[in-house]
Amino acid sequence: MTQASPFANLRIVLVQTYHPGNIGSAARAMKTMGLTDLVLVNPRVFPDDEATRLAAGAADVVENARVVERLEDAIDDCVRVVGASARLRSLPLPHYDEPDEMAQALVKDAVHDPVALVFGRERFGLTNDEIRLCSHQVSIPANPDYGILNLSQAVQVLAYELRRAWRRLPFGDVDAAVDSDNDTNTGTDSIATSATPPKLRQPTREQVAHFQAHLGRVMRDSGFITQPHARTEEQLQALFARATPTRKELSLLRGLLSSLEAHLPSSDDPKD
């Protein structure tokens, strides 16, 4: 197996990077650890000579970077999306206490499906709304008295954890899983069971978002919530993120919601 097998599905996303040189430095940090998939969300200036210059030998990563307008466009096909944050938010989203735990989960999923590690702006990171688009959060346990890391340093630390997790994979099982995908177009979120069909793998962020929108609609139409209640929906989002339902299980839940929805009174029905 070549190094790129799980690494091809490991994506680094930079959101609204202000200084183009930081894009180049981040690309250099990525390539040092074997990562090449870089997506830029609405960067202030790109392409730019400063980005290429600071990338040094990783200019190919910069040149092949994709630019998108919205964070959703960068992560919708990913089965696990981890937002890197310098501080623990009050959001109920699951949080990895240690970066190595995050790396193990991402690398395992990346054997078959795209995953993403998202970094925010240099000055204030990711907004709460952007964190809500992620499935998990992670922070780097730096010195609490001076925990300042620039963007490329943060990318370097977490990229190292990803490479470290990859080096610990049971390569024989990964080879079998990759071969199974190539031969039958099936796969799994568990390295040890390469024959598991795609429907038993993790759903993409887009599929989860459709489910959450469906759930929210049924909660409102049923009267479970009578006004916008972001906290309730956030808590349910965190619940399903911790439960990690498979694609088949998510489909069953949507079928249940559709059945309930069909029995709700129409808004055109007369009120008693």
Side-chain angles (χ1 to χ4, degrees):
M1 186 186 71
T2 65
Q3 290 184 0
S5 294
F7 271 34
N9 280 331
L10 288 166
R11 183 176 306 164
I12 300 296
V13 180
L14 306 182
V15 178
Q16 289 190 347
T17 308
Y18 188 82
H19 295 287
N22 287 333
I23 296 173
S25 296
R28 186 174 182 177
M30 289 172 56
K31 190 169 182 179
T32 300
M33 295 300 148
L35 302 174
T36 58
D37 188 6
L38 175 61
V39 180
L40 307 174
V41 180
N42 196 21
R44 186 179 71 91
V45 179
F46 190 82
D48 188 86
D49 290 342
E50 186 72 357
T52 303
R53 184 179 71 82
L54 288 183
D60 57 320
V61 176
V62 172
E63 292 166 0
N64 292 324
R66 292 180 289 123
V67 179
V68 297
E69 289 294 323
R70 307 177 308 144
L71 178 55
E72 294 95 320
D73 298 329
I75 61 175
D76 267 351
D77 63 332
C78 295
V79 300
R80 191 180 300 262
V81 180
V82 180
S85 177
R87 62 193 186 281
L88 181 60
R89 313 297 178 96
S90 60
L91 305 176
L93 205 65
H95 183 272
Y96 289 109
D97 292 329
E98 295 294 337
D100 63 332
E101 297 173 357
M102 172 277 302
Q104 291 171 30
L106 279 183
V107 168
K108 180 180 287 189
D109 284 339
V111 171
H112 289 289
D113 296 294
V115 297
L117 185 53
V118 183
F119 297 84
R121 303 152 188 82
E122 293 95 329
R123 289 191 176 182
F124 59 89
L126 297 167
T127 66
N128 282 346
D129 284 343
E130 289 162 348
I131 286 286
R132 289 187 185 98
L133 294 176
C134 302
S135 60
H136 297 75
Q137 305 174 75
V138 68
S139 300
I140 297 172
N143 178 3
D145 295 325
Y146 189 74
I148 306 301
L149 293 171
N150 66 34
L151 177 60
S152 63
Q153 289 171 333
V155 172
Q156 186 74 81
V157 169
L158 295 183
Y160 166 73
E161 292 290 354
L162 291 173
R163 184 168 187 84
R164 185 164 168 261
W166 170 77
R167 285 168 57 85
R168 293 180 174 184
L169 287 179
F171 289 135
D173 288 339
V174 175
D175 280 334
V178 173
D179 288 344
S180 176
D181 266 357
N182 291 338
D183 294 341
T184 65
N185 197 32
T186 64
T188 179
D189 64 330
S190 172
I191 293 171
T193 55
S194 59
T196 306
K199 65 182 179 180
L200 297 184
R201 281 151 49 185
Q202 298 293 313
T204 66
R205 195 215 71 89
E206 185 177 30
Q207 291 169 330
V208 172
H210 287 317
F211 165 73
Q212 291 168 346
H214 195 176
L215 177 61
R217 185 172 69 247
V218 171
M219 287 194 299
R220 289 187 295 272
D221 291 348
S222 67
F224 180 75
I225 53 176
T226 57
Q227 57 185 349
H229 205 300
R231 189 69 180 176
T232 297
E233 297 194 33
E234 286 174 5
Q235 290 171 337
L236 288 170
Q237 177 185 356
L239 185 156
F240 286 109
R242 290 193 302 271
T244 59
T246 64
R247 297 178 188 183
K248 181 178 181 180
E249 290 166 341
L250 201 68
S251 179
L252 288 172
L253 288 171
R254 291 208 65 181
L256 172 63
L257 291 176
S258 295
S259 179
L260 292 172
E261 202 170 26
H263 289 82
L264 292 176
S266 169
S267 58
D268 297 329
D269 289 346
K271 308 296 183 186
D272 290 338

